[in-house]
Amino acid sequence: MTGFEAAAGDLPLVLQIVIPIVAEIGLLILLLVVLTMDLFTRSTRREAVGFVAAVGMLIIMGLNLVISFAWVNHPFFVENTVLGGMIRFDMLATIFRTMILLAAALACLIATDVEGLGRAGEFYAVTIAATLGMCLMSASADLVMLFLSLETASISLYILAGFLRNSETSSEAGIKYYLFGAFTSGLFLYGLSLIFGFTGTTNIYAIAEPLAALLDEGATSGVLGVVAALLLILVGFGFKISAVPFHFWTPDVYEGAPTPVTAFISTASKAASFALLVRVFDVIWPDAAAVYWTGLLAALAVITMTLGNVLALVQSNVKRLLAYSSIAQAGYTLIGVVALNQSTFGVAAVAFYMFMYVLTNIAAFTVVIVVANQIGGDDSQDFAGLHRRAPGLALAMTLALLSLSGVPPLAGFFGKFFLFSAAVDAGYVWLAVIGVLNSIVALYYYLVLIKVMWVDQAVEEGPLSFSTASSLVLWVTGAGMIIMGTVAGPWLGWAITAAENLTAMVP
Amino acid sequence: MLQETTFLAPTSWYVILSATLFIMGMAGVLIRRNAILIFMSVELMLNSANLAFVAFARSFMDITGQVFVFFVITVAAAEVAVGLALIVAIFRTKQSIDIDELNTMEG
């Protein structure tokens, strides 16, 4: 199983070790480079550190893609988990690593303009550390690795959320995120200990079998224990993806944290958590437990979508609005997770949706950063008349909002379409119907903000200027949204390969 | 020569103890309003999980559970460092660590 003894002749040991974690090795080197560069750069020129971090992460992303496509189908990686059973090297990990690295690189780029972050080398270092944790999250195959990578990402994110020490809102965001996160990770860990107690193994690919035996016995204590473990683990994931009963931190942290950090938390962290959620729920629960977890997740999806959308209707602060919208988006994505048990397409839909969501949300938050930098606020009246002051920004924001609401020909349309068809495919027609109804409600608040930008009168006139970095980010994400929305085929094909990789090739 | 222990408490005793500690920690987080006390309760929860891991590791005669505990201790240490720093930061700006007063943002 662990791979060191099995098939060792097939592939040199060094390749067995290096290939699956090439992204993490790259990130570690980049982290050291960034820290060293921070020492030797004058404090007025430290934005350069951010550019190095961003370019470095894009290079790592490309390298990881090339290596993955070359090696992922090697029989050794197909048949084994690697690094002592800690890591699973497959296409699902690759697709999620790609979006995490992209989100992190774009977040570093947009941070270069922000007061208090742009010239702080340690900001980029901590971002890279968080990215490293998230990359490992998308490939974890063992409860130990799963917990460690989750905490590496979380602890770094607590620091990032509270990064502006002298700002009351940032410190408050940091401590709220921290207290919620530490509490839920305690619950999560206890769930893991119960799983270990029932099965005697920490390898997630070996857990299903003893769990199935336990459920087959039908003893009440066994069933109760498994359900308790499921609930505790679900709380941990619910916090990370901000699903509804565990979402209380989301609006405050999104509003209070520095905006590039908000962009990073809302995209990369959510994508990594969904990668982990999909992998864990696909492999550890035996069929006998499916009735419990699909039911729970379906309920979670419904309340998350509905409450997120309803609360978003009354928001006046754009960052809070995007926070509630991101809660609702997590709800839609959960539909795909519910469907994964019956239909391989569920995982593919989740991967596609997360990819489009990463691009879209980064675009939206970039516009928020530019507006907040120049106008000095992120309430929706600050966006009034944006089309006269900066047509490009207004256009980018409009594209992002329409993509989030699922209007064709943008990426969000196909994202929602695939999720809902996965639900129908798996026999959850009612869930798809609730999803569609929710998307219609959501359209309202997105359109209100679009109206504010294009119809309302601006308080001040005069064009807004923004940096090359921001406009580059907007170009990349805008192009991504349109390409994924018009030529969805190749991306979906990639997502389906990832899904088949996850479900078909269990070592 | 050391006397061999003749009595080993059954695993279920440890698990019951760990569940009790876990519930105490959880209650502490939910009831307490002081950030430091919440924080201590979280530590109690993590350590109750540690106790369960060690107990299960002994009953399975499998070292993995004990190795897990080492990692959890490390993570808890990192969490303490970051958490205390954040508590200091919030105390500097608000002169209070009562979490009910963390209400700058509403809506």
Side-chain angles (χ1 to χ4, degrees):
Chain A
M1 264 305 189
T2 56
F4 286 111
E5 63 281 350
D10 273 328
L11 196 62
L13 188 62
V14 64
L15 288 184
Q16 288 179 26
I17 294 171
V18 169
I19 285 177
I21 53 165
V22 71
E24 285 78 4
I25 295 174
L27 282 169
L28 199 59
I29 295 170
L30 185 65
L31 178 66
L32 298 175
V33 168
V34 161
L35 279 177
T36 320
M37 197 182 156
D38 180 45
L39 281 179
F40 295 105
T41 322
R42 254 185 287 152
S43 61
T44 47
R45 297 243 182 100
R46 292 248 174 86
E47 300 95 334
V49 181
F51 292 118
V52 168
V55 172
M57 283 195 271
L58 288 176
I59 292 173
I60 293 168
M61 184 185 90
L63 187 70
N64 184 48
L65 266 177
V66 170
I67 290 186
S68 295
F69 274 102
W71 288 95
V72 85
N73 287 324
H74 190 284
F76 175 79
F77 292 124
V78 173
E79 285 159 21
N80 294 290
T81 48
V82 286
L83 288 162
M86 291 290 154
I87 295 282
R88 172 86 182 131
F89 180 58
D90 58 13
M91 206 38 111
L92 188 86
T94 305
I95 193 168
F96 275 99
R97 273 175 178 154
T98 308
M99 57 183 109
I100 291 161
L101 286 164
L102 184 65
L106 296 179
C108 284
L109 273 183
I110 51 181
T112 51
D113 291 338
V114 176
E115 174 86 34
L117 298 182
R119 293 186 183 146
E122 65 273 21
F123 170 78
Y124 303 109
V126 181
T127 307
I128 294 170
T131 313
L132 202 158
M134 291 171 192
C135 283
L136 283 173
M137 272 165 83
S138 55
S140 297
D142 191 285
L143 297 184
V144 180
M145 195 65 202
L146 189 155
F147 181 72
L148 265 183
S149 57
L150 196 85
E151 290 297 307
T152 310
S154 299
I155 293 176
S156 313
L157 289 178
Y158 306 148
I159 302 175
L160 291 178
F163 198 84
L164 303 174
R165 293 197 300 286
N166 299 320
S167 138
E168 203 170 318
T169 51
S170 178
S171 315
E172 202 177 303
I175 195 143
K176 275 185 180 162
Y177 195 25
Y178 169 75
L179 288 175
F180 262 101
F183 178 50
T184 49
S185 76
L187 296 171
F188 185 69
L189 181 68
Y190 204 78
L192 297 187
S193 83
L194 287 181
I195 295 270
F196 175 66
F198 288 127
T199 60
T201 174
T202 55
N203 184 333
I204 64 171
Y205 290 95
I207 283 172
E209 214 172 302
L211 271 191
L214 187 76
L215 288 172
D216 280 346
E217 273 173 34
T220 327
S221 62
V223 175
L224 276 181
V226 174
V227 172
L230 166 65
L231 280 175
L232 291 169
I233 289 178
L234 209 54
V235 173
F237 281 121
F239 160 77
K240 290 297 289 179
I241 62 174
S242 54
V244 152
F246 325 108
H247 72 289
F248 296 103
W249 60 278
T250 314
D252 287 353
V253 171
Y254 281 24
E255 185 186 343
T259 316
V261 176
T262 310
F264 186 53
I265 294 177
S266 77
T267 55
S269 166
K270 199 168 280 201
S273 313
F274 267 108
L276 199 55
L277 178 65
V278 163
R279 186 186 299 275
V280 168
F281 275 49
D282 189 53
V283 298
I284 74 169
W285 304 118
D287 290 337
V291 52
Y292 304 111
W293 73 260
T294 51
L296 268 172
L297 276 185
L300 216 58
V302 170
I303 51 172
T304 305
M305 285 187 286
T306 313
L307 211 72
N309 280 326
V310 169
L311 289 173
L313 290 174
V314 295
Q315 299 305 322
S316 60
N317 179 295
V318 176
K319 276 168 92 178
R320 274 186 104 79
L321 182 126
L322 287 172
Y324 282 108
S325 123
S326 102
I327 294 175
Q329 304 289 332
Y332 300 132
T333 319
L334 277 174
I335 295 180
V337 184
V338 174
L340 73 85
N341 201 38
Q342 271 88 31
S343 145
T344 324
F345 196 55
V347 180
V350 169
F352 186 93
Y353 200 83
M354 272 293 123
F355 213 121
M356 89 81 200
Y357 171 78
V358 163
L359 291 174
T360 308
N361 244 28
I362 294 262
F365 278 112
T366 309
V367 176
V368 174
I369 289 173
V370 176
V371 169
N373 262 355
Q374 304 256 322
I375 303 182
D378 39 31
D379 285 329
S380 60
Q381 72 260 22
D382 295 317
F383 285 72
L386 192 66
H387 78 289
R388 298 187 46 140
R389 308 187 67 181
L393 279 185
L395 185 67
M397 190 66 167
T398 308
L399 282 181
L401 293 173
L402 289 178
S403 177
L404 283 175
S405 60
V407 171
L410 294 160
F413 168 72
F414 278 115
K416 285 209 171 62
F417 177 73
F418 295 147
L419 279 178
F420 298 153
S421 54
V424 173
D425 213 27
Y428 293 94
V429 180
W430 61 276
L431 207 51
V433 170
I434 294 178
V436 171
L437 291 177
N438 261 291
S439 318
I440 296 168
V441 175
L443 193 57
Y444 171 75
Y445 60 80
Y446 293 126
L447 284 179
V448 166
L449 190 56
I450 292 174
K451 183 213 121 205
V452 168
M453 288 190 301
W454 292 91
V455 179
D456 287 6
Q457 281 295 315
V459 186
E460 291 170 58
E461 290 296 326
L464 298 181
S465 64
F466 48 98
S467 67
T468 332
S470 315
S471 77
L472 185 71
V473 171
L474 289 177
W475 275 109
V476 169
T477 50
M481 278 185 269
I482 292 172
I483 292 171
M484 282 183 82
T486 45
V487 206
W491 306 93
L492 182 69
W494 188 23
I496 287 178
T497 321
E500 281 167 353
N501 239 223
L502 175 71
T503 46
M505 301 182 199
V506 174
Chain B
M1 212 172 93
L2 283 172
Q3 194 92 44
E4 261 190 48
T5 349
T6 46
F7 175 73
L8 279 172
T11 310
S12 60
W13 293 18
Y14 293 102
V15 177
I16 289 167
L17 175 62
S18 99
T20 316
L21 289 174
F22 179 72
I23 289 166
M24 279 167 64
M26 208 162 78
V29 173
L30 297 174
I31 293 167
R32 294 291 182 174
R33 301 288 86 181
N34 179 307
I36 299 261
L37 287 174
I38 293 180
F39 187 50
M40 285 166 63
S41 305
V42 168
E43 291 299 306
L44 193 60
M45 288 166 68
L46 290 178
N47 283 319
S48 72
N50 281 349
L51 179 60
F53 268 119
V54 175
F56 290 136
R58 200 202 61 178
S59 79
F60 288 117
M61 287 307 189
D62 177 0
I63 202 79
T64 326
Q66 305 205 6
V67 174
F68 206 142
V69 170
F70 278 108
F71 284 110
V72 175
I73 292 172
T74 320
V75 165
E79 252 181 12
V80 169
V82 171
L84 287 181
L86 284 168
I87 290 175
V88 169
I90 198 80
F91 186 75
R92 284 215 180 118
T93 54
K94 288 193 114 74
Q95 310 301 322
S96 158
I97 52 167
D98 188 324
I99 57 159
D100 285 334
E101 288 174 31
L102 300 180
N103 50 11
T104 319
M105 295 163 285
E106 293 285 349

